Amino acid sequence: MTSFDVTRRQLLAATAVTGGALAGGQFLSGTTPPAAAQGAATAPVPLNVVLRVNETEHRLTLDPRTTLLDAVREHLHLTGSKKGCGLGQCGACTVLMDGKRVKSCLSLAALVEGREITTIEGLARGEQLHPLQAAFIERDAFQCGYCTSGQIMAGVACIAEGHAGSPQEIRDWMSGNLCRCGAYDHIVTAIQDAAREAGSVRGG
Ligand code: FES
Ligand code: FES
């Protein structure tokens, strides 16, 4: 075995552990990795978090970086809320927080302790669908369905806010929820139906 063989094996081993050729070079040269590199490899201390979701309290131990979306999907197995962009741009992850719509991919779970979170799974009352859920079915307001839970949660808030007075107003206030299938006409009609039923059409 040549000294070149040993050096090459050491380099490959170091790269597999640290993920970078630079670290391999440091290993070979015997220098101490910079503090930043050491910090990146250290997992943050988990946090105990109490989340109220759909009127039920859940005690979770989470990485402090866990988003509300990942907490409900991965930890509570409530997979109705969808991850589309993960950047606050598509609305697929929309849930209600104390009755107001939020994009759960942008909220950290640890920061919403004590808030009442409602996901699509918490909207129906037993077997009875929420009027907007029923209207979506009645009006065929979805195709692939990926955006639908976010559309419905945002629509519930849109009606409660009094922003369902006309098709254009609904379009304006639902503009944060994208539908790649282009089911917008049917979504707007379903929201109008539910708003009418709720008697909450206030205009403006
Ligand atoms: S996944 Fe949250 S806005 Fe797109
Ligand atoms: S129904 Fe497919 S993205 Fe909206």
Side-chain angles (χ1 to χ4, degrees):
M1 182 180 295
T2 66
S3 62
F4 173 78
D5 287 335
V6 172
T7 302
R8 182 171 164 277
R9 283 179 192 163
Q10 287 174 331
L11 175 60
L12 288 172
T15 302
V17 170
T18 63
L22 176 61
Q26 289 161 341
F27 171 75
L28 288 173
S29 66
T31 57
T32 305
Q38 291 180 26
T42 306
V45 177
L47 290 178
N48 293 322
V49 178
V50 181
L51 283 185
R52 271 193 68 78
V53 180
N54 300 335
E55 301 177 354
T56 303
E57 204 166 271
H58 301 272
R59 294 176 185 280
L60 300 173
T61 302
L62 299 174
D63 182 312
R65 299 166 294 183
T66 305
T67 63
L68 176 58
L69 176 61
D70 285 340
V72 297
R73 283 183 57 84
E74 311 299 333
H75 295 264
L76 302 181
H77 309 295
L78 298 171
T79 55
S81 307
K82 296 291 187 279
K83 185 179 280 187
C85 62
L87 297 168
Q89 294 173 353
C90 73
C93 64
T94 305
V95 301
L96 302 183
M97 185 187 302
D98 296 336
K100 309 262 191 261
R101 46 180 148 173
V102 295
K103 290 174 176 170
S104 59
C105 70
L106 295 184
S107 305
L108 288 176
L111 296 181
V112 302
E113 256 192 325
R115 317 293 290 272
E116 183 63 48
I117 307 298
T118 307
T119 68
I120 189 77
E121 291 88 349
L123 218 47
R125 286 287 164 258
E127 295 294 300
Q128 187 174 1
L129 294 179
H130 185 282
L132 188 54
Q133 290 175 305
F136 262 64
I137 293 169
E138 179 67 25
R139 293 293 188 173
D140 270 338
F142 49 85
Q143 290 180 34
C144 77
Y146 200 80
C147 72
T148 306
S149 64
Q151 299 281 2
I152 291 176
M153 300 313 290
V156 167
C158 181
I159 294 168
E161 294 158 7
H163 292 140
S166 69
Q168 188 55 52
E169 188 183 19
I170 293 170
R171 284 180 187 278
D172 290 346
W173 286 88
M174 291 292 292
S175 61
N177 288 76
L178 306 182
C179 175
R180 285 197 289 181
C181 299
Y184 294 112
D185 287 348
H186 295 239
I187 291 169
V188 168
T189 306
I191 293 174
Q192 275 189 292
D193 286 356
R196 212 173 287 121
E197 185 174 337
S200 67
V201 180
R202 297 196 293 266

